Amino acid sequence: MFDTMFARDIQQTLEHFRRTMDQALSDFFAPSGFRGTSEDGTEWTFTPTVETGWNEDYLNLRVVLPGVGENDLKVNIQGNQLVVEGERKEPENFAKNGGSLRLPYGRFYRAIDLPNGLDRDRIQCRLQDGVLDIQLPIVEAMKPRRIPIKGFESRKAIAA
C-alpha cells in the first residue's frame, strides 16, 4: 500500500486523539473533582464524551452534553486546542422531590488537541438535543489530490 505523508499525518493525529480520549475516559471513571455525591457517598464529576470522524472535507467532532443548554456552553480556540466548557445545572425541582443523583452536575472543561491543516476561521458548531456537533474544515492544501501520470512516446531506434 502506498503510504503518503498526508496519510501518516492523519494516522499520527488519530493515534494522538485516541490517547487523549483514553485519558479522558480514565478521568471519567476515576473522578478527580467534586461535582456531586450519590446516596452511597460516591463523588462524581461530569466529563463530556467526544466522538470523532473524518471525511475528505472535514474533521467532525461530536460532544455529548445531556442537559446542557446553549446559554450554558462556550466553545473557544486557544492555540492548537479546541476548548469546550460550560455547566450542567441541576434541575430546579431536584432537591424538592428528594431525588437521588443519577447524573453528575456542575462545571466541565474539555481541551481537545487539533491537528495541523484545519481552517480554524470556518469552524461551525450546532447544539441539538444535548449533542454538540463541531465541523472543522480541512484546508485545500492538506487535502489529497491526484497527480496525472503521462506516458512516454515510443521511439524507434536507428541502426548504426
Side-chain angles (χ1 to χ4, degrees), residues 3-72:
D3 192 34
T4 65
M5 214 164 37
F6 182 72
R8 280 193 302 269
D9 185 43
I10 288 176
Q11 289 170 344
Q12 289 172 349
T13 299
L14 290 175
E15 178 61 25
H16 177 72
F17 209 79
R18 185 191 62 76
R19 285 193 306 270
T20 302
M21 293 299 101
D22 287 347
Q23 179 64 44
L25 289 175
S26 71
D27 289 347
F28 177 77
F29 290 111
S32 59
F34 175 80
R35 295 291 186 252
T37 306
S38 64
E39 291 175 347
D40 65 356
T42 304
E43 295 179 359
W44 296 95
T45 186
F46 173 55
T47 304
T49 301
V50 178
E51 300 171 347
T52 62
W54 287 87
N55 64 25
E56 290 181 8
D57 300 315
Y58 297 98
L59 166 61
N60 298 297
L61 303 176
R62 178 168 284 166
V63 185
V64 181
L65 300 165
V68 176
E70 185 177 333
N71 295 331
D72 299 321

Side-chain angles (χ1 to χ4, degrees), residues 47-119:
T47 304
T49 301
V50 178
E51 300 171 347
T52 62
W54 287 87
N55 64 25
E56 290 181 8
D57 300 315
Y58 297 98
L59 166 61
N60 298 297
L61 303 176
R62 178 168 284 166
V63 185
V64 181
L65 300 165
V68 176
E70 185 177 333
N71 295 331
D72 299 321
L73 182 63
K74 287 193 315 186
V75 179
N76 298 311
I77 291 283
Q78 295 176 358
N80 69 337
Q81 291 186 325
L82 179 78
V83 176
V84 179
E85 61 183 314
E87 182 175 10
R88 179 160 61 182
K89 295 180 180 175
E90 196 172 283
E92 291 179 17
N93 58 0
F94 181 75
K96 293 178 186 176
N97 294 334
S100 62
L101 181 67
R102 298 193 196 299
L103 294 173
Y105 297 95
R107 299 204 51 77
F108 59 89
Y109 177 93
R110 283 297 298 269
I112 303 162
D113 291 329
L114 297 175
N116 293 330
L118 298 175
D119 187 349

